Amino acid sequence: MAGQNCGVTTALLGVLLLGAVRLPRGAEASEIALPHGSGITVFIKPGTPPLPVKPCYIISSKRYKTSLTIKPGEKEVFSFSCHNPENHFVVEIQKNIDCMSGPCPFGEVQLQPSTSALPTLNRTFIWDVKAHKSIGLELQFAIPRLRQIGPGESCPDGVTHSISGRIDATAVKIGTFCSNGTVSRIKMQEGVKMALHLPWFHNRNVSGFSIANRSSIKRLCIIESVFEGEGSATLMSANYPDGFPEDELMTWQFVIPAHLRASVSFLHFNVSNCEKKEERVEYYIPGSTTNPEVFRLEDKQPGNMAGNFNLSLQGCDQDAQNPGILRLQFQVLVQHPQNESNKIYLVDLSNEQAMSLTIEPRPIKLSRKFVPGCFVCLESRTCSTNLTLTSGSKHKISFLCDNLTRLWMNAEKTISCTDHRYCHRRSHSLQVPGDILQLPVQLHDFSWKLLVPKDRLSLALVPTQKLQQHTQEKACNTSFSYLVASAVPGQDFYFGFFCPGGSIEQIQVKQNISVTLRTFAPSFRQEATRQGLTVSFIPFFKEEGVFTVTPDTKNKVYLRSPNWDRGLPSLTSVSWNISVPSNQVACLTFLKERTGVVCQTGRAFMIIQEQRSKVEEIFSLEDEVLPKPSFHHHSFWVNISNCSPVSGKQLDLFFWVLLTPRTMDLTVIIIVVVGGGALLLFALGLIICFVKKKKKKKNKGPPVGIYNGNINTQMPMQPKKCQKGRKDSDSHVYAVIDDTMVYGHLLQDSNGSFLQPEVDTYRPFQGPTGDCPPSPPPICSRAPTAKLTTDEPSPGFPAESETKLYTFSHPNNGSTDIPLLDTHEPEEPGE
């Protein structure tokens, strides 16, 4: 009796323990029973990822299996040997529907077996419907409808719909779709295969679609996309990204509310090699008198369409040897019409030549939220995100855009001269045409390319208003500026940015340039009257550029050399012609002590020359410190000539000019007063002497002739103006010193022979306007031993009276062989 009680107690304890300990999820038994004639087959098989290190098995009928198949009329009870079977297995439920041998089960499609009866695995329900070619099948999707995704994309909730069609025995992929889209119906014929993939954690228990019977559609498929408000849809051709079936037809039907507008843009496409027919897209557009409207895939697609429309893709008979592929990905954008969409703008470029205007989106950061499109429409129908208009025609355009500030315009015009005899002294106005300024889009750039025959003509730019050069010290504050840069191929060289309201009256350049008007604010329309340049073709000169400057009497004029941030190019010469009014004095100040240039070959010079007296100062920009502030009473030149600099040691020059009223110097006033007083005293002395001599003559008797042998009887001669000999005078100091006396020692090598000079270090200006800029002393190869006689001046030297204005200062030893440059050679980089 005691043993029996012990057995009962053990059994009760076991039951309590089983109730207290919960079995693992995988160990829970599942039961699937499929009725006869259901056409449903259930496959439990390993998932696509490789099996983990620790295997998991299906336990069915006390046997361990790696897969399990349950057919109609069968019942299976099974479990898993692991606690996370969703990481190891998937379940696929396939239902075959034969509409060829009997009636189709039209209506809402049910999930069979229900998700509650299935194990917690990733599930895929597949419906394979077979039908005659003459029968059309329609898949209808409940709200929230479907959204097509491309290769590599996934759905946020993990629920995907894969839809395929059939051409004879070949399966054709229509596309993969997520929820929350615009696709409401898909029509096909000759059968359809629909796959619904549900992740293991999703508790969905309805299919979300129904099947309906339709007549033959006579094409591969028709996809209906319904818009209820603003939005966009991206759609793809069948088999995308693989090729569209040969000689097939596919159609998209778009349902658009009447108060909205739709535009089509092709994102990606390829065309195949056709033997017969031609690949194309056809539109059936409400209100069009030419339906269907046919476009090539390369054409701009229609936009600004009101109401429903259809789009069809037609393939061709492909080349059997090299078929290629036809594929298309496009976007339909639906949005509210804007006020500008109903307004037509006429852009008349019929009188323009070699000009183009492009309207395009500004570069912006992309947003994940829906952003209404911004389109430019030609003739209100052909719309695209960018549009290029060419000269010689009139264009009618409109805009389909919620915010026109998202667009801007860029224009380019070429003015060229091919015959220098015809172009000489001709001029052209550089102004933005009024038809462009009237458009409701901001102008970003308008660029003029000015081309001249090489070494035949040069260019002169004269602004409507004097220009200011943009610098950090004095920046342009206007709504636009001009960028003047070289247009010579392979030459990265610019003269600078300039804006109205300065002191630069003219810019002369040697060869081809581009002048770009760039705007910075919408207020340019109000300041458009200030824009305007005139370009003239002038005789060729060798200097890279000449700036004519008339400083303002109230402000400093800041000027800097071209290519400021990269340095003046090698062997380049630039000049500034600075005008000084007669009642003003100009103060010239350099902002740095040195230019920073280090020459690899040649020399870099700067010359400051008074235009009236021709007095000039020459500075070596490599060796010498830039001059301190200097005052100029007359107009003067500033010229720089570059060498071939070492990389990173470029020539940059930055200076300013300030005008002040001219005042009489105190020393001059004292000299004038003293000189006037002395002259007055001298005149009084002469008068007194004359009066005394006249009185003496009256008191003397008649003269008596007495011979004096010590008196010189010769007629007195005119005394010489200069009593000093040449040795005692300063006439041997010359304004121009023989170049070899100054530079000759730089030309001798170690053997005493003279080296050939550097050539083309300086290129003097040879333009036609005004006086020529100064030229630095050329380095020539004459021997320095030739001397001048002391009796007569050498031809080519100024007269002695002129020499005093040009006298150079010398040391006390009287030597004139003073080098202006250091005698050591420039070091090579790396030494």
Side-chain angles (χ1 to χ4, degrees), residues 561-576:
S561 54
N563 250 33
W564 170 254
D565 54 346
R566 283 164 283 183
L568 196 66
S570 300
L571 308 178
T572 299
S573 179
V574 179
S575 292
W576 290 265

Side-chain angles (χ1 to χ4, degrees), residues 164 192 270 662 783:
S164 300
V192 60
N270 291 87
R662 182 181 296 187

Side-chain angles (χ1 to χ4, degrees), residues 469-484:
Q469 187 172 12
H470 175 79
T471 62
Q472 291 183 351
E473 286 69 17
K474 189 172 183 181
C476 289
N477 58 2
T478 55
S479 62
F480 71 97
S481 68
Y482 294 101
L483 170 62
V484 182

Side-chain angles (χ1 to χ4, degrees), residues 65-80:
K65 301 179 181 180
T66 57
S67 63
L68 181 64
T69 301
I70 308 172
K71 297 179 181 179
E74 296 181 352
K75 178 181 179 181
E76 196 74 42
V77 177
F78 59 93
S79 62
F80 299 95

Side-chain angles (χ1 to χ4, degrees), residues 289-533:
T289 58
T290 58
N291 282 323
E293 295 188 14
V294 180
F295 294 81
R296 298 179 304 167
L297 275 73
E298 298 87 350
D299 295 338
K300 297 289 186 182
Q301 302 304 310
N304 199 22
M305 294 177 287
N308 306 337
F309 69 96
N310 295 351
L311 185 158
S312 298
L313 175 64
Q314 175 67 64
C316 66
D317 292 331
Q318 299 174 348
D319 185 353
Q321 301 298 325
N322 183 22
I325 59 172
L326 169 62
R327 59 186 174 190
L328 173 63
Q329 182 186 42
F330 66 96
Q331 183 185 63
V332 175
L333 189 63
V334 176
Q335 60 192 45
H336 287 285
Q338 306 301 315
N339 294 332
E340 295 294 339
S341 64
N342 298 321
K343 186 175 181 179
I344 306 297
Y345 294 89
L346 177 63
V347 183
D348 187 0
L349 303 180
S350 57
N351 296 325
E352 300 289 344
Q353 295 181 350
M355 176 182 164
S356 64
L357 171 68
T358 300
I359 306 173
E360 58 190 352
R362 293 173 180 265
I364 58 172
K365 293 182 179 180
L366 298 178
S367 173
R368 293 187 177 182
K369 298 181 180 180
F370 169 73
V371 178
C374 215
F375 295 96
V376 189
C377 303
L378 188 62
E379 302 293 340
S380 299
R381 178 53 56 83
T382 304
C383 301
S384 61
T385 55
N386 57 72
L387 178 66
T388 299
L389 308 177
T390 56
S391 56
S393 303
K394 295 181 179 180
H395 308 273
K396 292 181 179 179
I397 66 172
S398 60
F399 297 92
L400 181 60
C401 188
D402 66 320
N403 184 3
L404 288 176
T405 60
R406 294 167 56 190
L407 298 174
W408 64 15
M409 298 184 291
N410 293 286
E412 183 175 296
K413 182 176 182 178
T414 300
I415 299 176
S416 60
C417 171
T418 55
D419 188 350
H420 69 281
R421 296 169 297 181
Y422 173 77
C423 305
H424 181 54
R425 296 298 181 186
R426 288 183 175 267
S427 61
H428 298 267
S429 177
L430 307 185
Q431 277 195 322
V432 180
D435 277 16
I436 295 178
L437 293 176
Q438 56 105 17
L439 295 175
V441 178
Q442 182 181 346
L443 176 67
H444 177 235
D445 276 352
F446 197 113
S447 180
W448 292 270
K449 284 189 175 180
L450 309 176
L451 309 179
V452 293
K454 186 176 181 181
D455 299 336
R456 291 285 189 174
L457 291 175
S458 292
L459 296 162
L461 296 173
V462 179
T464 303
Q465 296 185 7
K466 291 192 293 184
L467 300 178
Q468 168 197 333
Q469 187 172 12
H470 175 79
T471 62
Q472 291 183 351
E473 286 69 17
K474 189 172 183 181
C476 289
N477 58 2
T478 55
S479 62
F480 71 97
S481 68
Y482 294 101
L483 170 62
V484 182
S486 172
V488 177
Q491 187 180 50
D492 186 15
F493 177 73
Y494 70 93
F495 291 89
F497 284 92
F498 304 90
C499 58
S503 301
I504 300 175
E505 293 184 338
Q506 183 175 249
I507 303 174
Q508 294 171 288
V509 293
K510 180 174 71 173
Q511 49 192 348
N512 300 344
I513 60 169
S514 67
V515 178
T516 301
L517 184 149
R518 179 164 297 171
T519 66
F520 304 102
S523 58
F524 168 69
R525 280 188 174 80
Q526 286 72 39
E527 296 186 2
T529 54
R530 301 182 65 186
Q531 58 104 12
L533 289 174

Side-chain angles (χ1 to χ4, degrees), residues 597-631:
V597 65
V598 175
C599 295
Q600 189 171 11
T601 59
R603 293 287 184 178
F605 291 96
M606 179 178 69
I607 299 177
I608 302 176
Q609 183 193 69
E610 294 282 352
Q611 296 184 20
R612 181 173 178 181
S613 63
K614 304 301 182 184
V615 174
E616 63 183 28
E617 296 177 274
I618 304 175
F619 302 91
S620 172
L621 297 179
E622 183 181 15
D623 303 319
E624 298 182 24
V625 175
L626 290 175
K628 294 186 179 299
S630 57
F631 295 90

